[in-house]
Amino acid sequence: MAQVEATTERIIRAGAEDVFDALADYNGTRQRVMPEQFSEYEVREGGDGEGSLVHWKLQATSKRVRDCLVEVTEPTDGQLVEKDRNSTMVTTWIVTPAGEGSSRVVVTSTWTGAGGIGGFFERTFAPKGLGRIYDALLARLAAELEK
């Protein structure tokens, strides 16, 4: 079983602190910018960054639905880490300044993939699919913040 990784990034025309705060706002902004692949969204504890516990279902493909229960930490400034209690998936959001009034958001998800031929297809196609999902989320976040 190999580690699978999907990374997506986007420049958003808003300050790094505002972008980070929006990503960490699980009670408001975050729920609004989730694309249609996310369903059954529910904040179970907290709702604002560190210490939050959030549930959602992620429909990665027409046949693959992941039931996620994520614990949120903020290990360093500008970094939000979501660890799924139901799998090995860890998603890290890093927000850094990218020039005056803009920010770079990099989101990386890693997990332990399957073995054999199924694992080959997972390592080949899952990062692209998850990348598209997170690209849609970041586009919606940008639209929300760049109003």
Side-chain angles (χ1 to χ4, degrees):
M1 293 192 278
Q3 188 83 345
V4 183
E5 181 176 301
T7 299
T8 303
E9 72 176 73
R10 184 180 195 96
I11 300 294
I12 297 178
R13 290 186 321 269
E17 191 172 314
D18 292 337
V19 173
F20 183 85
D21 288 348
L23 282 170
D25 178 17
Y26 292 93
N27 280 319
T29 307
R30 188 64 174 276
Q31 186 172 5
R32 287 194 305 273
V33 301
M34 297 290 246
E36 62 276 0
Q37 290 88 352
F38 294 89
S39 64
E40 298 184 31
Y41 184 95
E42 176 189 12
V43 175
R44 296 195 177 164
E45 293 175 19
D48 184 22
E50 177 93 27
S52 295
L53 183 65
V54 187
H55 172 267
W56 59 69
K57 288 196 175 176
L58 171 59
Q59 178 126 22
T61 68
S62 60
K63 296 179 183 176
R64 178 78 168 115
V65 178
R66 205 180 263 268
D67 187 21
C68 301
L69 182 61
V70 299
E71 297 176 336
V72 180
T73 60
E74 295 180 26
T76 62
D77 284 350
Q79 186 179 47
L80 199 61
V81 177
E82 301 168 344
K83 291 183 181 176
D84 184 12
R85 286 185 179 175
N86 298 332
S87 73
T88 59
M89 181 176 269
V90 177
T91 301
T92 303
W93 301 83
I94 298 174
V95 181
T96 55
E100 192 170 326
S102 292
S103 303
R104 171 176 278 109
V105 181
V106 179
V107 56
T108 302
S109 288
T110 60
W111 67 95
T112 303
I117 192 72
F120 168 78
F121 285 106
E122 182 179 21
R123 288 186 304 279
T124 303
F125 297 108
K128 292 177 181 131
L130 192 57
R132 280 192 296 275
I133 291 169
Y134 281 122
D135 192 53
L137 188 155
L138 290 173
R140 293 170 68 140
L141 179 66
E144 175 97 4
L145 293 173
E146 294 173 356
K147 290 179 186 176

